[in-house]
Amino acid sequence: MRTMLRNTAQSKGRLLVVDDDLVHQTIIGKIGARLGYDAVIASTLEMAAELLQQEAFDIMVLDLSLGEHDGIELLRLAAQRKLYAMPIVIVSGCDERIMNSTRRVAEGLNLFLAACLTKPLNLDSLRDALCLPARGRIESNRAAPPPEVSRERIVAALANNEFSVEFQPKIDLVTDKAVGAEALVRWWTPDFGWLSPAIFIPVVEQFDLMPDLTNQVLSIAIASGRRLIERHPGFVLAVNISGSSMNDLTLPERIESILRAEGVAPESLIVEVTESVAMSDVDRATDILVRLRLKGVGAAIDDFGTGFSSLVALAHLPFSELKIDKSFVKGCETNEDMVKIVEASAALGKAFNMKVVAEGIDSPATLARVRQAGCDVGQGYLFAPSLRPERIDRWMTQRNAEGANHASMFEPRLQVANRFLGRGM
Amino acid sequence: MTKPPLFDQATYLELSAELGSEGTVEVLRLFLADTSSKMIAFASGPYSGPLIKHEGHSIKSSAATFGFSELSALARELELRAETMSPEVLSKFVEALRQAFGRVLNLAQAQLLGSGTEIA
């Protein structure tokens, strides 16, 4: 272990440099010292692990290759020690794919990854990364545990019609016009306020109440969406179908009955089913989806690429739309691996004569990239978050009247959208 | 493919601007001493693909940090191919690396460290 004391009067804190390369550890330590850090250098995983166990550091620079060990082991240790607020700068001479995967490991461990830098180091980038402040978001997010929702509370909510829907618009990437929307379930209660679907959906599933909720959401969505369908020619409403609802062979008839009651054409509805749900009982899913398609209702494979059976689902089930999961789309313009997946998924969708939808478009750069990849439709905060029924009609009228170049007009409204950290049903 | 230059002075000056001239010379001495030890280790034993791959990885990045482009490029080749090269080809590559490092050493002593300066 070596130390390098800061070269400045004021301390910026303690920097841990973990690198088995003598030259790089010295350069990083010296730059840290010039920025005001007291740098401690560890050349081995064991040394670094001991330091992290015994001492506190304000930032860590970690080389991924540590002789016989690797930096991933230390990331796990940092997570075990709950060092979520400590910025970590990864440095490595490995290729970009390894760096990208490392980034995902760190994110999965909930660590604060300040930067991933390739060797030879860009000294400006290293300096910028060392100047990042520590974060406090993990602690603040964890301060309020989610409320416990009982079965009785959900039954009461269903009886009192407490659930509602919002609509997130879907945009045709050629004409730039809104051509549909995905209905997302919302629940507001006087006792809990707005509850994220990420909290209540698993509880609804756990208590076998999903078919009831799906029924209610289908009814509300189709009733609320009828006005949009009437006022905007070609508008298609998308509704998510849960796993337990896909076990119910009467689902096509129930959907048909709701459509008939609301006077909505089957072609104006598309059901979204995740590949994992579809593949859990493929014969049943095929039965239901074929009958829905025969009735004129569309079927989308949702979150495409995230399960283990994406290609099987595509080959066996009669989907008319493929939705590329947002985890591949978000920021794909800066990640060659993700671009390849988006392009391959779009090509697959086209090969099966499906409409291809890119979810999670949050920036003009991502929009440009998914357009280039051949996606037909886009969805994401760049266009709009989910909107209440009374707002989406006005939003669509305005958007479709104003023509092209809308993307830049609609600022991402992340604050509104962040109310819901998870997705709807 | 064009052979990379022995020395990219702009890269060295960038490092120097960041660490100061004394700091840069200090790190350069470390690099030269460390790489000398690696070259001696290469010369002393039968070539081991995994070991040379590991050292190639290290030399590649460090050499590039100072602007020693030719040495970095050769080290990169070794890192990528050491484990699949035949012993004869590996031997030739290691010899080319040693010669490139010799040129770096001469240049450093003549231009960067000052004459008569010990490496470590």
Side-chain angles (χ1 to χ4, degrees):
Chain A
M1 187 187 83
R2 286 195 295 154
T3 55
M4 286 186 195
L5 297 181
R6 65 180 185 271
N7 299 347
T8 58
Q10 201 170 359
S11 173
K12 205 170 170 63
R14 301 187 75 222
L15 160 69
L16 176 60
V17 181
V18 187
D19 196 327
D20 65 342
D21 185 275
L22 191 62
V23 171
H24 278 102
Q25 62 177 232
T26 307
I27 291 174
I28 296 164
K30 277 183 175 294
I31 291 176
R34 285 170 79 94
L35 287 171
Y37 285 106
D38 290 315
V40 180
I41 296 173
S43 301
T44 64
L45 176 78
E46 293 82 0
M47 204 184 283
E50 200 176 320
L51 283 164
L52 284 179
Q53 292 282 3
Q54 294 170 357
E55 301 179 30
F57 291 92
D58 298 282
I59 188 164
M60 173 167 75
V61 177
L62 172 62
D63 183 14
L64 280 186
S65 307
L66 295 170
E68 290 177 3
H69 295 282
D70 58 68
I72 302 292
E73 294 175 62
L74 204 65
L75 290 179
R76 281 203 301 270
L77 182 83
Q80 279 166 17
R81 291 227 48 226
K82 301 191 182 344
L83 300 174
Y84 302 122
M86 177 179 72
I88 298 172
V89 180
I90 299 281
V91 295
S92 175
C94 298
D95 67 34
E96 196 189 344
R97 287 175 60 84
I98 294 178
M99 291 294 255
N100 288 338
S101 299
T102 304
R103 190 177 283 122
R104 286 192 279 277
V105 169
E107 285 168 3
L109 292 168
N110 227 346
L111 295 169
F112 178 15
L113 197 57
C116 277
L117 307 177
T118 50
K119 289 180 176 178
L121 293 172
N122 178 311
L123 302 178
D124 287 339
S125 304
L126 176 64
R127 201 174 342 95
D128 290 348
L130 291 177
C131 288
L132 274 179
R135 74 172 173 188
R137 74 171 179 84
I138 294 294
E139 285 70 19
S140 58
N141 278 355
R142 287 175 181 195
E148 285 197 13
V149 182
S150 65
R151 185 181 198 282
E152 290 66 33
R153 188 66 192 81
I154 293 169
V155 171
L158 285 164
N160 300 331
N161 295 318
E162 289 178 11
F163 293 100
S164 61
V165 295
E166 290 187 349
F167 296 99
Q168 185 171 39
K170 292 164 80 172
I171 308 300
D172 185 309
L173 296 183
V174 176
T175 64
D176 217 26
K177 293 191 170 182
V179 288
E182 179 179 354
L184 297 164
V185 64
R186 301 294 181 235
W187 186 18
W188 190 89
T189 73
D191 33 354
F192 300 133
W194 285 108
L195 264 186
S196 164
I199 293 172
F200 67 80
I201 293 287
V203 183
V204 174
E205 292 269 18
Q206 181 192 340
F207 294 128
D208 296 327
L209 293 168
M210 206 63 208
D212 301 293
L213 182 59
T214 301
N215 269 351
Q216 197 163 91
V217 169
L218 270 167
S219 300
I220 301 168
I222 293 171
S224 313
R226 190 182 58 192
R227 181 177 163 80
L228 297 170
I229 293 162
E230 286 168 356
R231 285 175 47 85
H232 304 277
F235 181 95
V236 176
L237 174 70
V239 179
N240 292 280
I241 301 295
S242 70
S244 38
S245 299
M246 284 298 286
N247 285 329
D248 178 4
L249 289 173
T250 65
L251 183 70
E253 285 69 36
R254 282 195 289 120
I255 289 178
E256 188 178 40
S257 142
I258 297 170
L259 288 169
R260 196 175 294 127
E262 293 295 339
V264 169
E267 291 73 20
S268 300
L269 179 71
I270 186 164
V271 293
E272 296 192 2
V273 183
T274 64
E275 63 189 53
S276 52
V277 161
M279 294 311 293
S280 64
D281 186 339
V282 70
D283 292 337
R284 213 167 259 261
T286 309
D287 184 307
I288 290 171
L289 291 177
V290 166
R291 280 188 294 130
L292 281 170
R293 293 298 311 279
L294 289 171
K295 291 177 192 301
V297 175
I301 178 166
D302 200 9
D303 301 342
F304 182 75
T306 56
F308 297 106
S309 320
S310 309
L311 300 181
V312 183
L314 210 54
H316 289 274
L317 294 162
F319 290 112
S320 52
E321 183 175 291
L322 181 153
K323 294 190 83 175
I324 306 173
D325 188 65
K326 56 178 174 283
S327 62
F328 302 120
V329 173
K330 274 175 189 279
C332 68
E333 71 280 3
T334 59
N335 187 328
E336 274 306 307
D337 294 339
M338 294 304 151
V339 164
K340 284 172 193 159
I341 290 173
V342 171
E343 286 175 345
S345 304
L348 265 174
K350 297 287 177 194
F352 282 93
N353 292 320
M354 297 162 75
K355 191 168 272 187
V356 178
V357 182
E359 294 186 280
I361 299 176
D362 292 352
S363 73
T366 305
L367 172 62
R369 201 64 191 82
V370 299
R371 266 198 179 120
Q372 197 184 340
C375 296
D376 303 301
V377 174
Q379 191 177 335
Y381 298 145
L382 176 67
F383 306 115
S386 61
L387 303 170
R388 293 184 189 191
E390 58 272 21
R391 274 208 59 202
I392 188 170
D393 184 24
R394 195 159 22 100
W395 188 94
M396 284 193 59
T397 304
Q398 192 181 349
R399 179 171 184 102
N400 290 352
E402 285 175 353
N405 300 320
H406 288 83
S408 58
M409 293 171 54
F410 293 93
E411 290 296 317
R413 278 169 278 182
L414 292 170
Q415 286 174 339
V416 177
N418 280 343
R419 268 198 338 233
F420 300 101
L421 296 174
R423 54 161 301 149
M425 56 179 284
Chain B
M1 199 175 71
T2 340
K3 187 179 169 186
L6 174 64
F7 181 48
D8 172 19
Q9 194 175 21
T11 303
Y12 187 85
L13 291 175
E14 268 176 42
L15 183 66
S16 200
E18 197 64 51
L19 300 183
S21 54
E22 275 184 31
T24 308
V25 166
E26 183 190 333
V27 185
L28 177 59
R29 283 202 185 110
L30 280 176
F31 167 70
L32 296 173
D34 190 44
T35 312
S36 294
S37 313
K38 286 173 178 154
M39 295 300 162
I40 292 166
F42 284 169
S44 67
Y47 295 135
S48 144
L51 172 71
I52 291 178
K53 179 183 174 171
H54 180 257
E55 301 298 19
H57 176 84
S58 165
I59 295 171
K60 171 193 74 175
S61 303
S62 301
T65 304
F66 295 100
F68 300 135
S69 311
E70 181 197 23
L71 182 63
S72 173
L74 279 168
R76 181 173 185 276
E77 279 294 303
L78 273 175
E79 181 196 9
L80 291 175
R81 298 172 52 198
E83 288 181 308
T84 55
M85 283 175 178
S86 68
E88 294 75 27
V89 175
L90 186 58
S91 168
K92 280 184 188 165
F93 257 89
V94 171
E95 185 51 34
L97 189 78
R98 281 166 53 80
Q99 288 182 11
F101 179 63
R103 287 190 283 279
V104 162
L105 208 53
N106 289 336
L107 179 137
Q109 284 176 324
Q111 297 178 28
L112 307 174
L113 299 171
S115 60
T117 309
E118 285 185 18
I119 292 167

